[in-house]
Amino acid sequence: MIVLGIETSCDETAAAVVDDARRIRSNVVLSQIEEHRPFGGVVPEVAARAHLENADAVIAKAMQDAGVAFADLDCIAATAGPGLIGGVLVGAMSGKAIAMATGKPFVAVNHLEGHALTVRLTDDVQFPYLLLLVSGGHCQLLSVEDVGKYTRLGTTIDDAAGEAFDKTAKMLGLGYPGGPLIEKAAEGGDPQKFDFPRPMAHRPGCDFSFSGLKTSVRRAVETLDRPLADAAPDLAASFQQAVADTLVARTKNAIKMAREAHPDITTLVVAGGVAANTAIGRALDALCAKTGMKLVKPAPALCTDNAAMIAWAGLEHFRLGQSDPLDFKARPRWPLDPDAPAAAFAGVKA
Ligand code: KG4
Ligand code: ZN
Protein backbone atom coordinates (compact mmCIF):
# COMPACT_ATOMS: atom_id res chain seq x y z
CA MET A 1 0.00 0.00 0.00
CA ILE A 2 1.42 3.40 -1.05
CA VAL A 3 0.05 6.71 0.24
CA LEU A 4 0.73 10.36 -0.62
CA GLY A 5 0.41 12.73 2.34
CA ILE A 6 0.00 16.52 2.24
CA GLU A 7 0.54 18.90 5.19
CA THR A 8 -0.18 22.65 5.17
CA SER A 9 -1.71 23.40 8.58
CA CYS A 10 0.94 25.78 9.91
CA ASP A 11 4.11 27.18 8.35
CA GLU A 12 5.51 24.15 6.52
CA THR A 13 4.36 23.15 3.05
CA ALA A 14 5.02 19.42 3.00
CA ALA A 15 4.33 16.31 0.95
CA ALA A 16 5.55 12.74 1.41
CA VAL A 17 5.04 9.21 0.18
CA VAL A 18 5.07 6.26 2.61
CA ASP A 19 4.17 2.60 2.28
CA ASP A 20 2.80 -0.11 4.53
CA ALA A 21 6.26 -1.66 4.94
CA ARG A 22 6.93 1.47 7.07
CA ARG A 23 9.20 2.96 4.42
CA ILE A 24 9.35 6.70 3.90
CA ARG A 25 9.80 6.85 0.14
CA SER A 26 10.01 10.64 0.06
CA ASN A 27 9.61 13.46 2.56
CA VAL A 28 9.66 17.05 1.25
CA VAL A 29 9.32 19.93 3.72
CA LEU A 30 9.43 23.56 2.61
CA SER A 31 9.73 25.85 5.61
CA GLN A 32 8.26 29.37 5.53
CA ILE A 33 10.45 30.63 8.39
CA GLU A 34 11.99 33.39 6.26
CA GLU A 35 8.55 34.75 5.26
CA HIS A 36 7.42 34.95 8.90
CA ARG A 37 10.68 36.03 10.54
CA PRO A 38 10.12 39.79 10.04
CA PHE A 39 6.87 39.46 12.01
CA GLY A 40 8.36 37.38 14.84
CA GLY A 41 5.70 34.69 14.43
CA VAL A 42 3.49 32.89 11.92
CA VAL A 43 1.11 35.25 10.06
CA PRO A 44 -1.90 33.18 8.91
CA GLU A 45 -2.52 35.09 5.67
CA VAL A 46 1.16 35.00 4.70
CA ALA A 47 1.19 31.25 5.43
CA ALA A 48 -1.91 30.54 3.33
CA ARG A 49 -0.51 32.41 0.33
CA ALA A 50 2.86 30.69 0.58
CA HIS A 51 1.14 27.27 0.73
CA LEU A 52 -0.86 28.18 -2.37
CA GLU A 53 2.28 29.22 -4.24
CA ASN A 54 4.31 26.15 -3.29
CA ALA A 55 1.97 23.19 -2.75
CA ASP A 56 1.97 21.95 -6.37
CA ALA A 57 5.77 21.95 -6.66
CA VAL A 58 6.23 20.32 -3.24
CA ILE A 59 3.76 17.54 -4.13
CA ALA A 60 5.40 17.01 -7.53
CA LYS A 61 8.82 16.74 -5.86
CA ALA A 62 7.54 14.20 -3.31
CA MET A 63 6.14 12.05 -6.14
CA GLN A 64 9.36 12.38 -8.14
CA ASP A 65 11.65 11.60 -5.16
CA ALA A 66 9.55 8.50 -4.39
CA GLY A 67 9.67 7.42 -8.03
CA VAL A 68 5.95 6.74 -8.15
CA ALA A 69 3.09 7.94 -10.38
CA PHE A 70 -0.37 8.93 -9.14
CA ALA A 71 -1.61 5.64 -10.63
CA ASP A 72 0.62 3.75 -8.13
CA LEU A 73 -1.03 5.33 -5.10
CA ASP A 74 -3.66 3.55 -3.03
CA CYS A 75 -5.05 6.76 -1.56
CA ILE A 76 -4.32 10.44 -0.97
CA ALA A 77 -4.17 11.75 2.59
CA ALA A 78 -4.19 15.43 3.55
CA THR A 79 -4.33 17.35 6.81
CA ALA A 80 -7.91 18.64 7.17
CA GLY A 81 -7.39 20.28 10.59
CA PRO A 82 -6.76 21.49 13.20
CA GLY A 83 -4.65 24.50 12.26
CA LEU A 84 -4.64 27.82 10.44
CA ILE A 85 -7.67 27.36 8.24
CA GLY A 86 -6.38 29.21 5.14
CA GLY A 87 -3.42 26.87 4.97
CA VAL A 88 -5.41 23.76 5.85
CA LEU A 89 -7.79 24.51 2.96
CA VAL A 90 -4.91 24.67 0.45
CA GLY A 91 -3.60 21.21 1.36
CA ALA A 92 -7.00 19.58 1.78
CA MET A 93 -8.24 20.95 -1.56
CA SER A 94 -5.03 19.81 -3.29
CA GLY A 95 -5.52 16.31 -1.87
CA LYS A 96 -9.16 16.21 -2.90
CA ALA A 97 -8.34 17.46 -6.41
CA ILE A 98 -5.73 14.72 -6.91
CA ALA A 99 -8.19 12.15 -5.54
CA MET A 100 -10.91 13.35 -7.89
CA ALA A 101 -8.67 13.50 -10.96
CA THR A 102 -7.21 10.02 -10.33
CA GLY A 103 -10.33 8.36 -8.95
CA LYS A 104 -8.38 7.35 -5.81
CA PRO A 105 -9.84 7.51 -2.29
CA PHE A 106 -9.23 10.57 -0.09
CA VAL A 107 -8.42 10.40 3.62
CA ALA A 108 -8.88 13.54 5.76
CA VAL A 109 -6.19 13.44 8.45
CA ASN A 110 -6.22 15.09 11.86
CA HIS A 111 -2.81 16.80 12.15
CA LEU A 112 -2.56 15.79 15.82
CA GLU A 113 -3.14 12.16 14.89
CA GLY A 114 -0.23 12.48 12.48
CA HIS A 115 2.02 13.43 15.42
CA ALA A 116 0.43 10.73 17.59
CA LEU A 117 0.97 7.83 15.18
CA THR A 118 4.48 8.75 13.90
CA VAL A 119 6.17 6.31 16.28
CA ARG A 120 4.25 3.43 14.71
CA LEU A 121 5.93 4.38 11.42
CA THR A 122 9.39 4.95 12.89
CA ASP A 123 9.54 2.44 15.78
CA ASP A 124 6.57 0.11 15.26
CA VAL A 125 5.26 1.03 18.74
CA GLN A 126 2.17 -0.96 19.74
CA PHE A 127 -0.99 0.44 21.40
CA PRO A 128 -1.53 1.64 24.07
CA TYR A 129 1.08 4.30 24.76
CA LEU A 130 1.29 7.68 26.41
CA LEU A 131 2.00 10.73 24.25
CA LEU A 132 3.42 14.09 25.29
CA LEU A 133 2.82 16.38 22.33
CA VAL A 134 4.75 19.62 22.74
CA SER A 135 4.88 21.98 19.77
CA GLY A 136 4.29 25.60 18.87
CA GLY A 137 0.58 24.92 18.50
CA HIS A 138 -0.07 22.15 21.02
CA CYS A 139 0.75 20.97 24.50
CA GLN A 140 -1.17 17.83 25.41
CA LEU A 141 -0.85 14.52 27.18
CA LEU A 142 -2.85 11.76 25.52
CA SER A 143 -3.30 8.08 25.97
CA VAL A 144 -3.14 6.62 22.47
CA GLU A 145 -5.34 3.53 22.48
CA ASP A 146 -5.98 2.71 18.84
CA VAL A 147 -6.21 4.38 15.44
CA GLY A 148 -8.81 7.10 16.01
CA LYS A 149 -9.07 6.35 19.75
CA TYR A 150 -7.50 8.77 22.19
CA THR A 151 -8.09 9.89 25.74
CA ARG A 152 -6.85 13.38 26.49
CA LEU A 153 -5.39 13.39 29.98
CA GLY A 154 -4.23 16.99 29.97
CA THR A 155 -3.84 20.06 27.78
CA THR A 156 -2.69 23.65 28.10
CA ILE A 157 -5.20 26.12 29.44
CA ASP A 158 -3.39 29.02 27.73
CA ASP A 159 -0.15 28.90 25.70
CA ALA A 160 1.53 25.87 24.14
CA ALA A 161 5.07 25.07 25.34
CA GLY A 162 6.66 26.07 22.01
CA GLU A 163 4.69 29.30 22.04
CA ALA A 164 6.15 30.06 25.48
CA PHE A 165 9.65 29.47 24.06
CA ASP A 166 8.91 31.74 21.09
CA LYS A 167 7.45 34.57 23.19
CA THR A 168 10.24 34.35 25.76
CA ALA A 169 12.87 34.48 23.03
CA LYS A 170 11.24 37.65 21.75
CA MET A 171 11.38 39.21 25.24
CA LEU A 172 15.05 38.27 25.52
CA GLY A 173 15.78 39.84 22.12
CA LEU A 174 16.92 36.51 20.68
CA GLY A 175 14.77 36.33 17.51
CA TYR A 176 12.52 33.74 15.87
CA PRO A 177 11.81 30.84 16.10
CA GLY A 178 12.58 30.95 19.79
CA GLY A 179 13.07 27.32 20.84
CA PRO A 180 16.48 26.63 19.30
CA LEU A 181 17.70 30.18 20.14
CA ILE A 182 16.73 29.83 23.82
CA GLU A 183 18.41 26.43 23.93
CA LYS A 184 21.60 27.89 22.48
CA ALA A 185 21.59 30.93 24.79
CA ALA A 186 20.91 28.66 27.78
CA GLU A 187 24.18 26.76 27.19
CA GLY A 188 26.10 29.66 28.71
CA GLY A 189 23.61 30.38 31.51
CA ASP A 190 22.84 29.38 35.07
CA PRO A 191 19.44 27.62 35.39
CA GLN A 192 19.29 28.54 39.10
CA LYS A 193 19.87 32.27 38.61
CA PHE A 194 16.20 33.25 38.30
CA ASP A 195 13.58 31.61 40.46
CA PHE A 196 10.76 31.22 37.90
CA PRO A 197 7.51 29.44 38.81
CA ARG A 198 6.70 25.85 37.81
CA PRO A 199 3.05 26.49 36.81
CA MET A 200 0.50 23.86 37.91
CA ALA A 201 3.30 21.59 39.18
CA HIS A 202 1.55 20.67 42.43
CA ARG A 203 -2.02 20.56 41.14
CA PRO A 204 -3.79 17.26 40.52
CA GLY A 205 -4.28 16.13 36.92
CA CYS A 206 -1.93 17.06 34.12
CA ASP A 207 -3.13 20.25 32.47
CA PHE A 208 -0.50 22.87 31.61
CA SER A 209 -0.29 26.63 31.87
CA PHE A 210 2.58 28.81 30.69
CA SER A 211 1.23 32.35 30.88
CA GLY A 212 2.35 32.90 34.52
CA LEU A 213 5.87 31.78 33.66
CA LYS A 214 5.90 34.17 30.71
CA THR A 215 4.79 37.03 32.98
CA SER A 216 7.57 36.20 35.47
CA VAL A 217 10.16 36.36 32.69
CA ARG A 218 8.77 39.73 31.58
CA ARG A 219 8.97 41.06 35.11
CA ALA A 220 12.55 39.82 35.47
CA VAL A 221 13.49 41.49 32.17
CA GLU A 222 11.91 44.78 33.28
CA THR A 223 13.72 44.83 36.62
CA LEU A 224 17.19 43.71 35.48
CA ASP A 225 20.18 45.36 37.15
CA ARG A 226 22.40 44.64 34.11
CA PRO A 227 22.07 44.88 30.30
CA LEU A 228 19.62 42.36 28.79
CA ALA A 229 22.31 40.90 26.54
CA ASP A 230 24.40 40.00 29.64
CA ALA A 231 21.48 38.45 31.47
CA ALA A 232 19.94 36.61 28.50
CA PRO A 233 21.85 33.32 28.99
CA ASP A 234 20.81 33.10 32.68
CA LEU A 235 17.22 34.07 31.82
CA ALA A 236 17.11 31.50 29.00
CA ALA A 237 18.59 28.73 31.17
CA SER A 238 16.26 29.46 34.09
CA PHE A 239 13.22 29.60 31.79
CA GLN A 240 14.18 26.36 30.04
CA GLN A 241 14.66 24.63 33.40
CA ALA A 242 11.23 25.81 34.56
CA VAL A 243 9.61 24.41 31.39
CA ALA A 244 11.50 21.11 31.72
CA ASP A 245 10.48 20.76 35.39
CA THR A 246 6.86 21.56 34.54
CA LEU A 247 6.70 19.06 31.68
CA VAL A 248 8.23 16.39 33.93
CA ALA A 249 5.85 17.07 36.84
CA ARG A 250 2.76 16.95 34.62
CA THR A 251 3.96 13.89 32.68
CA LYS A 252 4.62 12.10 35.99
CA ASN A 253 0.96 12.55 36.90
CA ALA A 254 -0.10 11.45 33.42
CA ILE A 255 1.91 8.21 33.76
CA LYS A 256 -0.04 7.45 36.93
CA MET A 257 -3.37 8.29 35.27
CA ALA A 258 -2.57 6.25 32.17
CA ARG A 259 -1.51 3.24 34.23
CA GLU A 260 -4.79 3.29 36.13
CA ALA A 261 -6.68 2.91 32.85
CA HIS A 262 -4.10 0.71 31.09
CA PRO A 263 -1.88 -1.29 33.48
CA ASP A 264 0.05 -2.59 30.43
CA ILE A 265 1.18 0.86 29.28
CA THR A 266 5.01 0.94 29.13
CA THR A 267 5.95 3.56 26.55
CA LEU A 268 6.09 7.34 26.71
CA VAL A 269 6.32 9.00 23.31
CA VAL A 270 7.38 12.62 23.02
CA ALA A 271 6.68 14.52 19.79
CA GLY A 272 6.46 18.08 18.46
CA GLY A 273 9.14 20.70 17.90
CA VAL A 274 9.89 21.20 21.62
CA ALA A 275 10.89 17.51 21.79
CA ALA A 276 14.06 18.60 19.95
CA ASN A 277 15.22 20.37 23.15
CA THR A 278 18.11 18.44 24.72
CA ALA A 279 17.53 19.60 28.30
CA ILE A 280 13.88 18.60 28.11
CA GLY A 281 14.83 15.28 26.51
CA ARG A 282 17.28 14.58 29.36
CA ALA A 283 14.67 15.46 32.01
CA LEU A 284 12.15 13.10 30.41
CA ASP A 285 14.81 10.38 30.18
CA ALA A 286 15.37 10.69 33.92
CA LEU A 287 11.61 10.56 34.60
CA CYS A 288 11.27 7.40 32.51
CA ALA A 289 14.21 5.75 34.26
CA LYS A 290 12.55 6.52 37.60
CA THR A 291 9.08 5.36 36.63
CA GLY A 292 10.01 2.30 34.55
CA MET A 293 8.71 3.73 31.26
CA LYS A 294 10.46 3.46 27.90
CA LEU A 295 10.96 6.84 26.19
CA VAL A 296 10.55 6.91 22.41
CA LYS A 297 11.36 10.08 20.54
CA PRO A 298 11.16 10.19 16.74
CA ALA A 299 14.07 11.86 14.90
CA PRO A 300 13.73 15.68 15.01
CA ALA A 301 12.69 15.86 11.33
CA LEU A 302 9.73 13.60 12.11
CA CYS A 303 8.96 15.30 15.45
CA THR A 304 8.35 18.66 13.81
CA ASP A 305 5.65 19.20 11.18
CA ASN A 306 6.05 17.00 8.11
CA ALA A 307 3.88 15.08 5.66
CA ALA A 308 5.29 11.59 6.25
CA MET A 309 3.27 11.54 9.48
CA ILE A 310 0.14 12.60 7.57
CA ALA A 311 0.65 9.95 4.89
CA TRP A 312 1.18 7.36 7.64
CA ALA A 313 -1.92 8.36 9.63
CA GLY A 314 -3.90 8.22 6.37
CA LEU A 315 -2.47 4.76 5.68
CA GLU A 316 -3.43 3.52 9.17
CA HIS A 317 -7.04 4.60 8.57
CA PHE A 318 -7.18 3.38 4.99
CA ARG A 319 -5.97 -0.11 5.81
CA LEU A 320 -8.85 -0.32 8.29
CA GLY A 321 -11.20 0.41 5.41
CA GLN A 322 -11.74 4.08 6.24
CA SER A 323 -11.73 6.98 3.79
CA ASP A 324 -13.60 10.29 3.54
CA PRO A 325 -15.96 11.94 1.06
CA LEU A 326 -14.68 14.80 -1.09
CA ASP A 327 -17.07 17.20 0.65
CA PHE A 328 -15.30 16.60 4.00
CA LYS A 329 -15.09 20.05 5.62
CA ALA A 330 -11.73 21.35 6.86
CA ARG A 331 -11.78 21.97 10.62
CA PRO A 332 -9.89 24.79 12.38
CA ARG A 333 -10.54 22.93 15.64
CA TRP A 334 -10.53 19.13 15.73
CA PRO A 335 -9.79 17.57 19.12
CA LEU A 336 -8.43 14.01 19.12
CA ASP A 337 -10.63 13.20 22.10
CA PRO A 338 -14.06 14.67 21.34
CA ASP A 339 -15.28 13.80 24.86
CA ALA A 340 -12.62 15.91 26.60
CA PRO A 341 -13.92 19.23 27.95
CA ALA A 342 -12.86 22.29 25.94
CA ALA A 343 -10.07 24.26 27.62
CA ALA A 344 -11.34 27.83 27.90
CA PHE A 345 -8.41 29.83 26.55
CA ALA A 346 -6.52 27.24 24.54
CA GLY A 347 -8.51 27.56 21.27
CA VAL A 348 -7.26 25.10 18.66
CA LYS A 349 -4.51 24.03 21.06
CA ALA A 350 -6.98 21.84 22.96
O1 KG4 B 1 6.10 20.88 15.83
P1 KG4 B 1 6.55 22.20 15.32
O2 KG4 B 1 7.61 22.24 14.25
O3 KG4 B 1 5.37 23.03 14.72
C1 KG4 B 1 4.14 23.17 15.34
O4 KG4 B 1 4.02 24.11 16.14
O5 KG4 B 1 3.23 22.32 15.06
O6 KG4 B 1 7.04 23.03 16.61
C2 KG4 B 1 7.59 24.32 16.51
C3 KG4 B 1 7.85 24.80 17.90
C4 KG4 B 1 8.27 26.26 17.94
O7 KG4 B 1 7.51 26.91 18.94
C5 KG4 B 1 9.74 26.18 18.32
O8 KG4 B 1 10.20 27.31 19.03
C6 KG4 B 1 9.79 24.92 19.15
O9 KG4 B 1 8.88 24.04 18.52
N1 KG4 B 1 11.12 24.35 19.18
C7 KG4 B 1 11.87 24.21 20.28
C8 KG4 B 1 13.13 23.71 19.87
N2 KG4 B 1 13.10 23.55 18.52
C9 KG4 B 1 11.85 23.93 18.11
N3 KG4 B 1 11.60 24.50 21.57
C10 KG4 B 1 12.56 24.26 22.47
N4 KG4 B 1 13.80 23.80 22.15
C11 KG4 B 1 14.12 23.52 20.88
N5 KG4 B 1 15.34 23.06 20.58
ZN1 ZN C 1 2.35 19.95 14.50
Side-chain angles (χ1 to χ4, degrees), residues 111 115 135-137 162-163 165-166 177-180 183 272-274 276-277 303-305:
H111 176 88
H115 281 299
S135 70
E163 207 175 355
F165 268 96
D166 293 336
E183 178 163 16
V274 180
N277 186 286
C303 263
T304 54
D305 287 351

Side-chain angles (χ1 to χ4, degrees), residues 139-313:
C139 191
Q140 304 194 356
L141 279 154
L142 293 151
S143 121
V144 181
E145 287 141 20
D146 206 340
V147 177
K149 192 161 184 296
Y150 304 87
T151 303
R152 199 192 71 200
L153 303 171
T155 187
T156 180
I157 58 167
D158 42 57
D159 288 348
E163 207 175 355
F165 268 96
D166 293 336
K167 289 177 179 170
T168 299
K170 216 174 191 179
M171 285 190 263
L172 302 190
L174 296 175
Y176 170 83
L181 296 168
I182 294 237
E183 178 163 16
K184 188 143 198 306
E187 281 167 17
D190 174 2
Q192 317 286 339
K193 197 77 182 178
F194 292 88
D195 186 18
F196 292 138
R198 273 59 175 158
M200 317 278 282
H202 300 294
R203 299 241 196 121
C206 55
D207 280 341
F208 301 92
S209 162
F210 292 102
S211 70
L213 172 58
K214 207 173 54 189
T215 307
S216 296
V217 175
R218 172 166 297 126
R219 212 171 296 131
V221 168
E222 284 165 2
T223 55
L224 279 176
D225 55 4
R226 52 186 164 136
L228 178 58
D230 282 1
D234 290 339
L235 286 162
S238 302
F239 164 81
Q240 182 174 269
Q241 190 62 50
V243 175
D245 289 350
T246 305
L247 293 178
V248 163
R250 305 314 278 164
T251 306
K252 193 173 165 195
N253 280 8
I255 292 171
K256 257 189 241 145
M257 290 161 74
R259 279 181 171 155
E260 276 162 26
H262 305 282
D264 54 337
I265 211 159
T266 52
T267 305
L268 169 68
V269 173
V270 55
V274 180
N277 186 286
T278 316
I280 290 171
R282 265 202 307 266
L284 291 170
D285 262 332
L287 172 69
C288 283
K290 235 188 271 170
T291 53
M293 295 286 279
K294 181 177 173 229
L295 183 67
V296 179
K297 198 168 77 173
L302 294 171
C303 263
T304 54
D305 287 351
N306 65 87
M309 70 179 190
I310 301 306
W312 177 256

